[in-house]
Every structure is written in C-alpha cells, then in structure tokens.
Amino acid sequence: MRRSLFPILTLPLLMACGGHDDTTGTDMPDSTATTEFQWEAEQFGDIRVLRYQVPGWDQLSLQQKQLSYYLNMAGLAGRDIMWDQNYRHNLVIRRALEKIIKEYKGTRSGVDWDEFMLYAKSVFFSNGIHHHYSNDKHTPTFSQGYFEGLLKESGATLSPEVLTAMFDPSVDAKKVSLDADKDVVLASAVNFYSDDINEKEVEAFYARMEKKDDPRPLSYGINSKLVRGADGQLMEQVYKVGGMYGAALEESVKWLEKAVGVAENPQQKAALELLIQYYRTGDLKTWDDFNVAWVKDTTNTVDYILGFVEVYNDPLGKRGSYEACVEVNDPIASKNMHVIMENAQWFEDNSPLLPQHKKEKVVGITYRFINTAGEAGDAAPSTPIGVNLPNADWIRKDHGSKSVSLGNISDAYDKSSGTSTLELFCHDQEEIDRAKAHASLAGILHTALHEVVGHASGKIEPGIAGPDVTLKSYASTLEEGRADLVALYYVLDPKLVELGVMPNLEVGKSEYDGYIRNGLLVQLRRLKEGKNIEEAHMRNRQWVSAWAYEKGKADSVIVKVVRDGNTYYDIRDYEKLRVLFGDLLREVQRIKSQGDYEAGKALVENYGVKVDPAIHREVLKRAEAIKTAPYAGFIQPEMVPVMDADGKITDVKLEYPMDFVKQMLMYGEKHSFLPDVN
Ligand code: ZN
C-alpha cells in the first residue's frame, strides 16, 4: 500500500527551504549544503519533472553501494513490464516514439513537432498512453497524417490497429475504470485480462480458488494475466522466467544473484534468494515466503521493494503492478519517528474501533525514514512518498509490516515548490499562518500515522474473506480512507505532544485544514471538467471530507463560506471534527471487518465519486493563477560503477542527470528486455 504525494499537495510544498523545525523533534535530512541543487528540470503539460538527491550515499560502504547498484539494475530490468501491463500496445508505441526522437531527419521544430514531443514526454511519464493518474488516454494534438510522416521518415512502422488505439479517442479510452455502472474489467484498457473476459467470469474464476476460512490465503492473481485458453476456459499466464515477461525477469534474476553475494546479513540474503526463486517459478507460496523473510529483515541499511506489488491498476484489485525501489535508511530521521512505532499498541487500544475489530496484539511494524536511490516501474517517474508492505493481511497480522517514508522525495517536493495555493484556497489568514508554520510536520506525521498505525490497525472477523474479495473495486479506496482516518484521528491527539513528536495541537489543526481544503476543493484541479473522480486516493479524500462536512452541518463543525464568488471551507470545531473522523473510522473498519460491500459502495458512491460541477468549474478557474503543474515526478539518479583493471567494482558514483527525455531514451536502449508483443 502506498501513499502518494497528493494528500499533502499544496501543504508542505509551500514550506520555505529548511522549514523543518528542529524543536519539534523531527530531524529531516540536512539539506543546507545542497542549496545549489536544481530541483526542477522542466515542466510540460500538467507535469513537473523534478530531481532528487540521495543524502548519505557517500557514507555507505562499498558493499552497500554495490548492493544498491545490483538491486537498482534488477529493478530497471523489469521496466518494460509496467509498460506492457498498463496497455497491450504501449511497448510498440514507445519504441516508435523513441525511434522518431532519435532518427527523424526532418524539421524538428514548429507546432506539430512541439505537440509531438509533448505527447512523447507525456507517454514516457505515464509508462504508456494513458495518464498515470486520471487514467484517461493521452490525446495527440497533431494529426495522424503528420505522425505517419514522422514514422516513415524515421524507418518505423505501426500497424493500423495501433494507430487507431493512439488516435481514436473512443478506443480503450480509460486505463482503469471504476465506473459502477459498467463492467469494470471490460471498461478498463489495462492489460491484465484478455479483451473478451468480463468481471463475472473473473470473479467466478477466483471464487473457485479462494478457500473460505483460509488463515493464510495466497495472493491469487497477483502475478499473472488472465486469458482465455484454446478450450474456451480461463487460465493464468504467469509472470516468471520462461513464462510471461520471462526475458525481463531473467535479466532481473541475473542482478539479484549478484545482490545475494553482497547482502548485508543472512536474513536479507535469504529473502533475496526467495525472490529469485519466485521470479523463476511464479509460485505464490514462495511469494508469501519471500514477504515473510523480507519483513523480518529489519537491520539492514539498504532495503528494496521489488516485484508485482500494488494492485491499484487492476479494477478488481488482484493483479500487482511491477515496481522497484532501492532504499537507503536514514538513521537519524528514523530514530525520531520510532516513537510512533513503539506506541502502536497504545494507538490500537485507544482507537474508536468496535472492540471486536481491534487487534489484541499489534505485531512488528517497522517504520523508517529512507532515502530512495533509484525507482522503476510503478514507482517512476511518479513516485509514492510512503509505502507500507507487504499487502497480504495475514502476513501483516502474523509477521508485521515494513513502512517507509521517502524522506528525500518529500524534501525535493518541498524545495521545488512554486506558487502558493494557500492564498487562493485558505479561508483566512490564521489558516494560512498555521499551514506555513506546521503543515510540513503535519504531512510527515500524517504519513507516519497512515502507514504505521493506519494500515496495520484493525482485524477482520472470523470467516470473512479479505477486502479484495468482499469489497471488490471499492477495496482500495476504503482501505486508503481507513488509514487516512486513523491518521486524522490521532494527529489531533495530545498523546502526540506527550510523545514529543509534535510541539502542540496546532500541527493537527493544520492537518485538518489541509485535508478538508484538499478533499473538498484543491484536488479538483486535477480533474478535467465534466469528469467524476475515479482514482482511489482522490476518492477517499473526498468521501472522508464530504461525509464529515455533511454530518457536522447541524453543529456548524465545518462551514462553507462564499466570498467574492469563491468557495471556502472553514473548520469551526476541531474537536467535534475529530469525533466525526472517529465515527467514520469505526464504520469503515466495520465495513472491512464484516465485508459489508453494500455499505462500502454506498459510502464511496454517495460521497467520493461525484463532484459538484459548479464548484469544480470554480476551482479550475481559481487554479489558473497557479503556475505550477499539478503532477510531479522524477528523473532518477544514475548509479555508475567504477571498476579497476580486473573489472572489480571499487566504487559506485551517483550522477544526477538533468534531461528527462535523454534518460527515457537511455532506459529504452539499456534496460529494455521484452519483445514488442508479449
Ligand atoms: Zn495507504
């Protein structure tokens, strides 16, 4: 499970450099020496391309640097997989775009060329022809005739079917559709199911596999595509060496084997060996064994996320997107946030959940601040800022989970921020001042509470299947909302002041201001006019905010104010809002614990999906004043091994490239292992 930037978008982004206050007890990566670093490389369309640094890299031992390098190479080896998972024509389209950019000899200027380059960059950024966040297909703003000319002049070809996929807006218009009125499998272009397979068939297929009351259910469907076999029966094409995506996984295994040789400890070595075995066999039990081993490896400095992990790209929440992230622990920052981890049981005991839904014993949450040193697949160029894994509920319950905040990513967001949205959307000066003083820390605490306490809390009633089975397409947004509610409930708790992680309750209030402001107003700027909300996190931010607004109306907990034609939401009673968040948390936990699909659906559909068109229009208009593009992602640092005469690695240097397209082309040349069609 991951936390993206957006819950805190417009908050910490506004903090001045070095806005992290030492007196709060939160020590963030020291960046005073890096003021010269250029954080933003470029903007195009609705995208900002940023850069990040890896503090602490030079302090790593040679062995740790080698380990990072091998893990990063293993991760990059699978980059093509994410492209193919996103859409079946993505790889062949990307290769045509790469070829044109490299080979085209005609005029490389003018409106058409500029529009072509905008399209190409947008496709690179989203690992395919659908927007990484809205899931809408990118619309080329140049003619098909012009594009066919580019192809011809560059010696590239695309079939008529692929050209139609690019240029006909009605074909495969949505990567992931969560539209309740549609068959979400048929309506989604994502390449997890053959075109002729519908939602009911998928559910029937997995209902036969999933055993009721299984205390350790396998992650069915996590590493395969579901297709119709020659006999008309559905069957899984498993991602493994020798199977689907075999060429990329084989390359990945090659690097993982080198990583095994420089593992930091026996536990890490064992986990890496299991990952290799899993890539080779595709066996789901091995995937679980790997995750258990990985969770237990808590003493390393270099850690990683690798495999088919997050399930947001599957409308039914079963199939994992390929992801890679290399992590370097930040010991100082981790230590200061440790206190939340140590008090996980207190948070569970004191939560507003029904007694039967509380965990008697919260096990082993490991929380760390890390700096990422390299990301690929689902984690790049757009990246999460917090991740909590593994996803399997039973492993989390029996063995615990690892939760990370990506400190250097948050830092890069902070430092690259442009024009303030605070003046535009805050109700009053007090709210602006509070955000400036506390929003950065509030964002950090929200992430920590969401990941460490939130996802780890609560339990499912005996005999009830997991949420992917019971809550289906609503599982992701309900889980993210539940974790947000845990964070919101505790971020205004005096216990956090007592624990020394925040100086006073103003921090919590600023989180409430920001959450409501974002959930009801600011996030709408990311939605095109006339659209409803589809993305799971955006949905949950709205259903949490809109539900609290409505339930608190009678007591004027949150008051809607219209001034000069602009809408604002002003929180008048923070304590009562906290009670409302607690009430909603108890209900959402009940929905998860009892698998109450109808109640979950009603909550999301009634509060999280539809937007008020008038307010939406107004927000888009107000947001025109913001010069900063609403989405951001990163150019990755490049790890360059230094070798001696015998080819032995003596050091690994980090370089920070500036040119986004150049990196994309380099990846296409050096880290591409899949054929055009899988
Ligand atoms: Zn989450």
Side-chain angles (χ1 to χ4, degrees), residues 1-3 312 386 388 450-451 455 479-480 483-484 537:
M1 281 162 262
R2 66 195 291 174
R3 188 157 181 273
Y312 308 113
N388 184 324
H450 173 111
E451 298 293 347
H455 283 308
E479 177 59 16
E480 291 312 313
D484 267 3
H537 295 79

Side-chain angles (χ1 to χ4, degrees), residues 398-412:
D398 293 354
H399 301 280
S401 62
K402 279 200 233 180
S403 192
V404 293
S405 282
L406 283 65
N408 59 338
I409 295 291
S410 300
D411 201 42

Side-chain angles (χ1 to χ4, degrees), residues 70 73-78 247-257 276 279 306 322:
Y70 295 144
M73 292 298 278
L76 283 167
L249 293 171
E250 201 173 323
E251 177 71 14
S252 200
V253 163
K254 192 180 99 188
W255 293 102
L256 287 174
E257 283 172 337
I276 292 170
Y279 278 179
L306 279 171
Y322 177 80

Side-chain angles (χ1 to χ4, degrees), residues 8-182:
I8 53 166
L9 184 87
T10 75
L11 288 172
L13 298 201
L14 305 157
M15 299 306 297
C17 294
H20 308 291
D21 187 350
D22 282 340
T23 59
T24 61
T26 306
D27 196 350
M28 291 293 287
D30 178 18
S31 48
T32 47
T34 59
T35 43
E36 299 301 313
F37 190 77
Q38 188 181 327
W39 298 98
E40 185 172 313
E42 65 171 312
Q43 285 204 28
F44 56 83
D46 57 1
I47 300 294
R48 282 190 307 150
V49 178
L50 308 178
R51 306 162 74 224
Y52 65 83
Q53 293 187 308
V54 188
W57 178 262
D58 293 332
Q59 280 79 56
L60 295 181
S61 69
L62 175 59
Q63 183 191 353
Q64 290 163 340
K65 285 181 183 173
Q66 279 177 291
L67 178 60
S68 306
Y69 171 64
Y70 295 144
L71 291 170
N72 196 46
M73 292 298 278
L76 283 167
R79 174 176 179 256
D80 281 356
I81 296 174
M82 183 77 256
W83 283 76
D84 193 71
Q85 286 183 313
N86 275 337
Y87 186 49
R88 64 191 184 286
H89 296 313
N90 274 340
L91 279 174
V92 61
I93 292 171
R94 190 193 79 203
R95 287 178 177 137
L97 300 177
E98 289 168 352
K99 198 151 201 286
I100 292 168
I101 297 170
K102 286 194 282 193
E103 316 257 326
Y104 181 63
K105 299 285 187 301
T107 316
R108 296 168 75 98
S109 62
V111 176
D112 278 341
W113 178 260
D114 291 348
E115 294 296 322
F116 163 74
M117 282 306 295
L118 171 64
Y119 177 79
K121 287 179 190 178
S122 305
V123 171
F124 287 141
F125 189 87
S126 45
N127 298 310
I129 65 170
H130 298 87
H131 193 279
H132 74 288
Y133 203 79
S134 75
N135 287 305
D136 292 328
K137 198 162 77 174
H138 292 300
T139 316
T141 42
F142 44 88
S143 72
Q144 185 169 338
Y146 174 73
F147 183 66
E148 288 181 43
L150 293 179
L151 286 172
K152 199 158 161 252
E153 295 292 316
S154 315
T157 47
L158 286 174
S159 71
E161 187 198 351
V162 174
L163 287 169
T164 305
M166 281 177 66
F167 285 92
D168 183 340
S170 69
V171 174
D172 295 330
K174 201 93 192 169
K175 184 171 85 177
V176 186
S177 172
L178 297 177
D179 188 337
D181 299 332
K182 290 182 183 158

Side-chain angles (χ1 to χ4, degrees), residues 315-326:
L316 297 184
K318 290 187 180 303
R319 312 198 115 72
S321 296
Y322 177 80
E323 178 171 0
C325 179
V326 179

